Every structure is written in C-alpha cells, then in structure tokens.
C-alpha cells in the first residue's frame, strides 16, 4: 500500500467529479457565480460586491465537521483533512461514535494503522438498532480496532513522537494523529440569514416547514443545513421536491420515512425502516426475527467473521417495519429490501419469496420463527 498514491488518486477523482458536475450545470443552462455569497436583503444575493435578485432563494450550504472544546483540540484533524495528510500515521486515535468515526476507524485499521476509537457513550452508532450496535462492536473489535467505550479525550498536547492524548480516566497515550468525528455544524454563519429574520436553531441549522420553506417568504433550505437527515440522497430528494413545488405546479413534501442507509465500515452495516426500539415505541407489539451466521466462504477459510440479519414486524398487520444487516455487501442487499419495506411488504410476503442459494441475502426470506422474549432477555 502506498499512501501518497492514494492521496493523488483521491485528488484526481475529485477533479474528475467536479468537471462532470460543471458540465451538467452548463448543459442545463445554469449560470454559476463563484464567490462568497450572502443574503443582505429579501430576494437578494450578494457575491463579491455584486447583487443579484431572484424570486426564490434556496440555501443548500451543507455542514462542516467540528472539534470539541478541549485543550489542544487544534492539534487534531477532522474527516476533511484525513486524506490530505502527507504520510499515513502508524498509530491513530479517532474520537466519536457515528458513521464517520466508525468508517474511518475501519479504513485506517484496514491499512495497518494501530487504531483506537474513543466514544463517550455505552455503544457506538447511536440511533441504530441495539442488536446492530452490539454485534457491530464485537465484529469491529475482531478486526483489531481498540474500542474504548464511555471514554473521551479531554486534552491533547504535542509530543516528540506525535500527539499525547489524555482521556477521561487520566490515561495518557501518544498517537501519530488524532481525528475528531464528534459532529457537524451547519454552514450558516455569516450568510445573513439571521438579519433577514430566518428562524434557526441554537446550533445554526435552518428551521423549515413541510415544503422546505423557511420563516421568510421566498427562502427555502435543504440538506445538512436543515439538520433533518444528513445524507446526500436525502438532500437531492429534498431539492427535487422544492423544484416540483415551486416550478412544477405540484406541491411536494419530502418523505423522510423508511430511508435506507449504510455505514461503510468492515463489516458493512445497512438498515431500512425502524429499529426494534423505535418500532416498540410506535407500534407496541412487534415480532423480532434475527439470525447470525458465518458466510459459506468463511466456513471454508476458517475466518472468524459473522453476519447478522434482523427483521422487525408489526404483530397486528404483519408488515415489516425494519430490516437490519451487519455483514458483507449489506448496503447492496438492503437497498433491494428498501423497496419492499417502502411498499409495505408483509412478513408473509417475505416468507413466500424463494431465496437465491447459496447467498447471504436469502436469510432475509428464510427466518421463520421469531426470537422469543425470554431468550432475548437472557441474551441481553
């Protein structure tokens, strides 16, 4: 593995993608004005001293990673700088427990970097199904990632061998690099939205209505800047809804229900629909189907790597409320299941579907018996 080649390949790919987007905008007849934009007055955008007026303004400035307020935080990096490092560190500490923290932990670990993940909570990936969180944590540890739970870094200082980090328990460890993946903030500072009267939350995210409209007429907002669901396909969906609403004579509300999502760690995690905890809170009585196994190829290789799958079903209607997977190709498999969940498929319809053998995906249509409550409680 060659770190400089990876960084160069990344830069080449970003350049290629930017050219494609520029071409798409040009072919669509979009005028691109490059520079720092602000909104000094209603229906007005100012860029480098020039003012432009429009009936509608769409704020889609996204978000940026943040660092915690601890001594020496400036010594650490975020995901923005991770692939701009001049050299790969031999040892890294990653702080956080969300998508980005877990994904980068597996990236660096997979490249041979001694990796420690610090998370202040009980389990990483807050908001995911608890079974997924427990199973994924076990599998990540099998890969060699040192996961320090209920632990945070409280101080960083320079050291001759890199960065000395102190955690909440007083332990001090020297790392070649420290990466913070502790949250993101909306890019609204200095845009002029507050002066315009646009209602925002304390963190700077824009408050919007059902059609992504803000509190000021003529101003809409989508994507991470609204802090609804921070996923690229969701921002695209919201943008299309705004376009239909404003210019298609078809008021359209974005649908944030049953959004399939994935964490591209090793093993992959992918889910669609409700977690067991969410389903119980919303529907009450639910049936849970769960299995874990070694893929056929691993039974031959002897590799200690397992896959977990889970379905959450409404007992009253038999509708599948959620599908969860931790394992190879989870994102590809759950993307297909997302259509079924979105269409309101029932467990009986899953059972009536003949699986493709031998695949991991067939397990989603062969889980016949729900997990008994007593067995679940004993396992927990």
């Amino acid at each position: 593995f060659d770190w400089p080649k990876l960084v160069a390949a990344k830069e080449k790919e970003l350049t290629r993608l930017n050219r494609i987007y520029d071409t798409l905008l040009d072919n669509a007849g979009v005028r691109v004005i490059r520079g720092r934009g602000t909104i000094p007055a209603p229906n007005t955008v100012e860029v480098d001293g020039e003012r432009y007026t429009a009936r509608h303004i769409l704020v889609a400035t996204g978000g940026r990673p943040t660092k915690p307020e601890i001594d020496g935080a400036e010594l650490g990096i975020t995901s923005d700088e991770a692939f701009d490092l001049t050299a790969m560190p031999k040892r890294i500490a990653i702080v956080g427990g969300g998508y980005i923290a877990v994904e980068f932990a597996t990236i660096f670990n997979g490249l041979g970097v001694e990796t420690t993940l610090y998370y202040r909570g009980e389990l990483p990936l807050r908001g995911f199904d608890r079974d997924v969180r427990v199973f994924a944590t076990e599998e990540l540890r099998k890969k060699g990632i040192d996961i320090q739970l209920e632990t945070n870094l409280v101080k960083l200082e320079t050291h001759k061998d890199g960065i000395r980090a102190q955690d909440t328990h007083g332990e001090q460890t020297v790392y070649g690099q420290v990466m913070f993946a502790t949250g993101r903030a909306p890019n609204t500072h200095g845009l002029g939205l507050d002066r315009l009267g646009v209602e925002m939350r304390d963190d700077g995210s824009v408050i919007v209505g059902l059609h992504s409209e803000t509190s000021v007429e003529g101003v809409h907002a989508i994507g991470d800047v609204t802090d609804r669901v921070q996923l690229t396909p969701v921002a695209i969906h919201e943008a299309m809804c705004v376009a239909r609403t404003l210019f298609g004579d078809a008021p359209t509300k974005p649908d944030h229900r049953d959004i399939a999502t994935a964490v591209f760690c090793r093993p992959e995690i992918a889910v669609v629909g409700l977690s067991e905890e969410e389903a119980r809170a919303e529907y009450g009585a639910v049936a849970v189907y769960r299995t874990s196994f070694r893929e056929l190829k691993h039974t031959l290789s002897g590799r200690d790597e397992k896959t977990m799958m889970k379905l959450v079903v409404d007992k009253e209607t038999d509708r599948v409320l959620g599908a969860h997977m931790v394992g190879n190709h989870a994102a590809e498999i759950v993307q297909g299941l997302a259509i079924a969940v979105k269409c309101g498929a029932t467990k009986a319809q899953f059972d009536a579907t003949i699986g493709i053998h031998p695949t991991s995906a067939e397990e989603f249509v062969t889980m016949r018996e729900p997990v008994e409550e007593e067995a679940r409680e004993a396992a927990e």
Side-chain angles (χ1 to χ4, degrees), residues 116-255:
T116 300
L117 179 69
Y118 290 92
Y119 180 53
R120 63 184 180 181
E122 176 194 10
L123 288 168
L125 298 171
R126 181 169 58 89
F128 281 77
D129 186 275
R130 182 175 177 81
D131 283 340
V132 168
R133 300 170 72 193
V134 170
F135 189 88
T137 299
E138 293 172 353
E139 292 299 308
L140 292 170
R141 280 175 166 157
K142 285 182 186 178
K143 298 287 186 182
I145 299 173
D146 178 17
I147 301 179
Q148 297 291 322
L149 299 175
E150 298 182 323
T151 307
N152 215 342
L153 294 187
V154 295
K155 183 180 181 181
L156 302 183
E157 54 188 356
T158 56
H159 185 274
K160 63 182 180 64
D161 295 322
I163 301 171
R164 180 161 55 204
Q166 180 177 322
D167 67 24
T168 46
H169 305 297
E171 295 290 330
Q172 294 188 354
T173 311
V174 176
Y175 295 99
Q177 193 58 257
V178 174
M179 176 179 161
F180 293 109
T182 49
R184 297 177 64 83
N187 286 323
T188 54
H189 181 71
L191 288 182
L193 296 176
D194 50 349
R195 293 195 305 271
L196 202 63
V198 173
E199 190 176 358
M200 295 184 288
R201 299 180 184 85
D202 291 340
D203 64 358
S205 59
V206 180
I207 297 174
V208 294
L210 295 178
H211 296 92
S212 297
E213 74 278 12
T214 72
S215 57
V216 173
E217 186 176 358
V219 179
H220 286 69
I222 60 164
D224 289 8
V225 77
T226 66
D227 196 22
R228 287 178 286 186
V229 180
Q230 295 189 11
L231 295 169
T232 297
V234 174
I236 294 171
H237 169 66
E238 292 169 354
M240 294 176 71
C241 290
V242 169
R244 294 191 189 106
T245 298
L246 296 182
F247 308 111
D249 196 26
T252 306
K253 297 179 291 186
D255 183 3

Side-chain angles (χ1 to χ4, degrees), residues 12-13 38 40-41 54-56 78 80 110 116 119 136 151 204 229 278 299 308 316 335 337:
K12 182 179 179 181
E13 176 63 7
T38 60
R55 182 178 176 186
H56 303 289
T78 68
D80 279 1
T116 300
Y119 180 53
T151 307
V229 180
E278 292 169 334
T299 64
M308 191 273 280
E316 182 178 348
Q335 176 65 84
L337 289 180

Side-chain angles (χ1 to χ4, degrees), residues 37-106:
T38 60
I39 308 175
N43 306 105
T44 305
V45 175
E46 182 174 312
V47 182
D48 296 333
E50 292 289 327
R51 290 198 170 192
Y52 308 86
T53 59
R55 182 178 176 186
H56 303 289
I57 295 174
L58 178 63
V59 179
T61 47
R64 66 187 184 283
T66 60
K67 293 181 180 180
E69 295 182 0
I70 64 171
D71 290 343
E74 69 279 0
L75 299 175
I77 62 170
T78 68
S79 56
D80 279 1
E81 301 89 48
F83 289 126
D84 288 328
L85 298 174
T86 55
M88 185 174 70
K90 293 182 179 180
R91 193 178 195 190
I92 191 169
I94 298 177
V95 184
Y99 287 75
I100 295 172
V102 172
E103 288 178 345
F104 271 96
T106 58

